[in-house]
Amino acid sequence: MFKHSQLESVKAWLTHPAHAGLPLHARIQRAIRQLILDGALGPGKPLPASRALAKSLGVSRDTIEAAYAQLHAEGFIDRRVGSGSFVAKMSEFSPGRGLSRRDALLRNQAPNLSKRGAAMFRSGGVREQLAPRPFTPGVPETRSFPLQLWERLQRQVLKESGTRILLHGDPQGAEPLRRAIADYVNLERGARATADRVLILTSSQQAMVLCASILLDTGDRIFIEDPVYHGARKAFDAAGLECVPIRLDAQGMLVEQLRAHPEKAKAVFLTPSHQFPTGATLALDRRLSLIEWASKHQAWIIEDDYDSEFHYAGKPTACVQGLDAHDRTIYIGTFTKSLFPGLRIGYVVLPPQLVKPMTVARTLLDGHTAAIAQLTLARFIEGGHFGAHVRAMRSIYAQRLEVLTDLVRTHLSAFVEPRVPIGGLQMPCVMTCDLPERAAIDAGRRVGIELMGLSGLHASGDGKAGFLMGFAAYTPDEIEVAVKKLASALQTVTRR
């Protein structure tokens, strides 16, 4: 029979919540296996008879037999007819001679990561909330998405493609979608794209990771906006790049500072259509100056056009890629903001010489993007539904931005000043009181409100305190309730 401590160990496995999803016989089998691995049951030791162990554990004999059969199949025990079951003797392994479970757990708490792995871990990643709360930035309205239309288009794709669509897809992306994207960005963004220059990815974040890995080496310099999109900076930091911040004004990045910088860089990253987080638009003369700089120094321009569809005042300026006759610009787009985050489709329009290297590199990450979603999206765009959806959302978002602006000015004027953007899905607010930014964010979180701090987005460390308020995913009524709740929370903190 088992010793009392061994029997209690098996019982603990049976009742532990972490093992609740396992069948009963599997829990017993794994508990005995761990006793053998720890050396608590040494080689040659007899196991209790199945009937006796079943009685001790309050289970059926068949359950014990199933556990013993699996242990025997894995080589942990020997079963001898007429004699019983015994712990197997393993010539190249001495149970219990290695690290104790406690020591092993302690060592695993400090994993031996590579320098790049440690940098990625320290960054904290780019985490999105599964169920976003007001005012999580960058989240689109999904409740009004034409889901029935999408389902109908997907059924058409499945019917016409049959089982072929279940196989591996083109790593560069489905040709119909690449063609539809090229046509769209040429018409709406003034790009210079063809289907053979488009690479379909799962997200804009994947595009940034690819750019950091393929275009630059560890230690290379890259110019970034200051403040900058946090996901881009984390991708570049994790790749071991030296990020050099370039200040902004109301017309975007100060390109003359970039041109006059004493240290040369191999690339520049920017969000020229709607600068994240300020909302500034890069002026045309600066775009042309940037292109000239990149051509002269054979540097790359990484243009993130993450939400240019949502421009509320006039027509958006043509993208940098469309103005670049020297093919030094990588244009990044995504459908996460314009449609819905669960779609997981982004894309890059590449200079011709980068198409093959980037396509090969993406196969090392995930092979290809899901074909069913790609072909459904292609039909959604080709049928004019994408344009119609964007136009409808643009009107809704403009209204919600107006509502948020009025409410902030009415209820939060003692704390912040809104900086109303001309587009995008979020509004920056700058602190005008003595309340620390962190205190404001924590106060909002305690009442179910999510704010993104502004100061942490400044690489130079001298940014103004404040926060971003996403408005696109919330109705006017929801915005009003949340603003009043935030105002009450901030007043409470201030009184304390």
Side-chain angles (χ1 to χ4, degrees):
M1 287 293 292
F2 281 158
K3 295 179 182 178
H4 176 73
S5 60
Q6 294 167 347
L7 186 62
E8 290 302 311
S9 178
V10 175
K11 288 180 178 179
W13 264 80
L14 294 181
T15 57
H16 198 288
H19 309 142
L22 293 172
L24 199 55
H25 75 274
R27 282 182 258 174
I28 294 170
Q29 176 255 334
R30 295 191 184 193
I32 297 173
R33 183 178 69 184
Q34 196 60 54
L35 289 173
I36 295 171
L37 291 172
D38 291 344
L41 289 175
K45 292 291 183 180
L47 297 181
S50 57
R51 192 185 303 277
L53 184 57
K55 183 177 180 181
S56 298
L57 297 177
V59 300
S60 71
R61 185 182 179 189
D62 287 344
T63 299
I64 302 300
E65 283 294 333
Y68 279 4
Q70 183 62 30
L71 288 165
H72 177 64
E74 292 179 357
F76 283 97
I77 67 173
D78 295 325
R79 309 200 74 181
R80 306 168 194 165
V81 178
S83 299
S85 301
F86 301 83
V87 177
K89 295 179 180 179
M90 291 169 271
S91 59
E92 296 187 23
F93 171 71
S94 300
R97 295 283 180 87
L99 291 173
S100 68
R101 291 189 70 191
R102 178 178 177 277
D103 289 341
L105 287 171
L106 287 173
R107 289 196 179 189
N108 286 338
Q109 288 175 359
N112 187 22
L113 301 177
S114 67
K115 290 181 179 179
R116 180 167 290 186
M120 294 174 73
F121 180 61
R122 283 195 305 271
S123 76
V126 182
R127 294 171 290 181
E128 306 290 352
Q129 292 183 346
L130 297 181
R133 306 183 299 181
F135 294 97
T136 305
V139 181
E141 173 61 79
T142 57
R143 289 170 290 189
S144 58
F145 183 77
L147 198 55
Q148 291 182 335
L149 168 61
W150 184 270
E151 290 174 342
R152 177 165 60 82
L153 295 175
Q154 183 170 281
R155 285 196 299 271
Q156 290 176 6
V157 167
L158 291 171
K159 183 177 180 180
E160 294 178 18
S161 301
T163 56
R164 295 193 314 276
I165 204 168
L166 306 181
L167 299 173
H168 287 289
D170 184 343
Q172 189 177 344
E175 197 276 337
L177 179 57
R178 290 190 283 115
R179 185 177 62 245
I181 288 173
D183 291 344
Y184 171 74
V185 296
N186 288 343
L187 177 64
E188 297 293 336
R189 301 297 299 117
R192 297 166 59 251
T194 54
D196 60 331
R197 294 177 61 172
V198 175
L199 172 62
I200 306 298
L201 300 171
T202 55
S203 65
S204 57
Q205 190 67 34
Q206 187 183 44
M208 294 171 206
V209 171
L210 273 174
C211 288
S213 302
I214 300 303
L215 304 179
L216 300 101
D217 292 312
T218 300
D220 281 347
R221 237 174 254 109
I222 181 171
F223 290 135
I224 60 172
E225 299 167 313
D226 192 35
V228 68
Y229 170 55
H230 55 290
R233 187 177 176 194
K234 288 182 177 184
F236 302 148
D237 284 344
L241 308 184
E242 181 186 343
C243 294
V244 179
I246 303 295
R247 291 194 304 108
L248 312 170
D249 63 13
Q251 293 185 306
M253 176 183 276
L254 294 168
V255 176
E256 67 271 18
Q257 289 192 1
L258 177 152
R259 293 169 62 93
H261 204 283
E263 298 175 327
K264 304 304 179 185
K266 285 190 175 180
V268 57
F269 170 84
L270 72 168
T271 50
S273 294
H274 294 145
Q275 200 282 328
F276 187 97
T278 66
T281 298
L282 188 66
L284 177 59
D285 59 339
R286 296 187 186 183
R287 293 174 186 240
L288 298 175
S289 180
L290 181 67
I291 292 168
E292 183 184 7
W293 168 84
S295 175
K296 179 180 178 180
H297 296 283
Q298 288 296 283
W300 299 107
I301 300 170
I302 303 172
E303 178 182 13
D304 183 8
D305 207 23
Y306 64 102
D307 68 354
S308 62
E309 289 86 2
F310 304 116
H311 198 87
Y312 311 128
K315 192 168 178 62
T317 307
C319 65
V320 174
Q321 192 271 350
L323 301 172
D324 183 5
H326 308 290
D327 284 331
R328 303 300 305 177
T329 302
I330 295 102
Y331 177 89
I332 300 174
T334 178
F335 293 97
T336 295
K337 308 289 190 272
S338 54
L339 292 180
F340 53 95
L343 182 57
R344 306 315 300 152
I345 294 182
Y347 60 92
V348 283
V349 180
L350 295 165
Q353 67 271 33
L354 291 183
V355 173
K356 286 186 177 180
M358 284 282 196
T359 302
V360 169
R362 78 78 46 95
T363 65
L364 298 175
L365 299 178
D366 63 356
H368 62 91
T369 306
I372 297 173
Q374 287 190 71
L375 294 179
T376 303
L377 176 56
R379 294 197 174 207
F380 193 76
I381 298 173
E382 291 165 352
H385 310 299
F386 178 69
H389 179 70
V390 166
R391 288 191 293 273
M393 290 298 100
R394 188 183 295 136
S395 175
I396 290 172
Y397 295 165
Q399 179 197 15
R400 292 179 180 183
L401 172 59
E402 185 178 353
V403 168
L404 176 62
T405 302
D406 290 343
L407 287 168
V408 167
R409 286 172 173 162
T410 300
H411 299 284
L412 297 177
S413 59
F415 306 101
V416 296
E417 176 188 333
R419 300 289 172 85
V420 185
I422 60 171
L425 308 180
Q426 54 273 323
M427 180 175 72
C429 294
V430 176
M431 303 290 292
T432 56
C433 63
D434 294 332
L435 188 65
E437 178 186 280
R438 185 73 257 170
I441 292 172
D442 289 342
R445 193 165 289 164
R446 284 193 291 271
V447 295
I449 291 171
E450 198 67 31
L451 304 169
M452 176 179 285
L454 289 179
S455 63
L457 301 176
H458 287 261
S460 58
D462 60 356
K464 291 184 178 180
F467 45 75
L468 277 179
M469 302 182 76
F471 55 83
Y474 318 106
T475 66
D477 288 343
E478 290 169 340
I479 292 173
E480 182 175 5
V481 169
V483 167
K484 290 179 177 178
K485 191 182 292 185
L486 177 60
S488 177
L490 296 180
Q491 288 165 3
T492 300
V493 173
T494 302
R495 285 196 296 268
R496 289 176 181 172

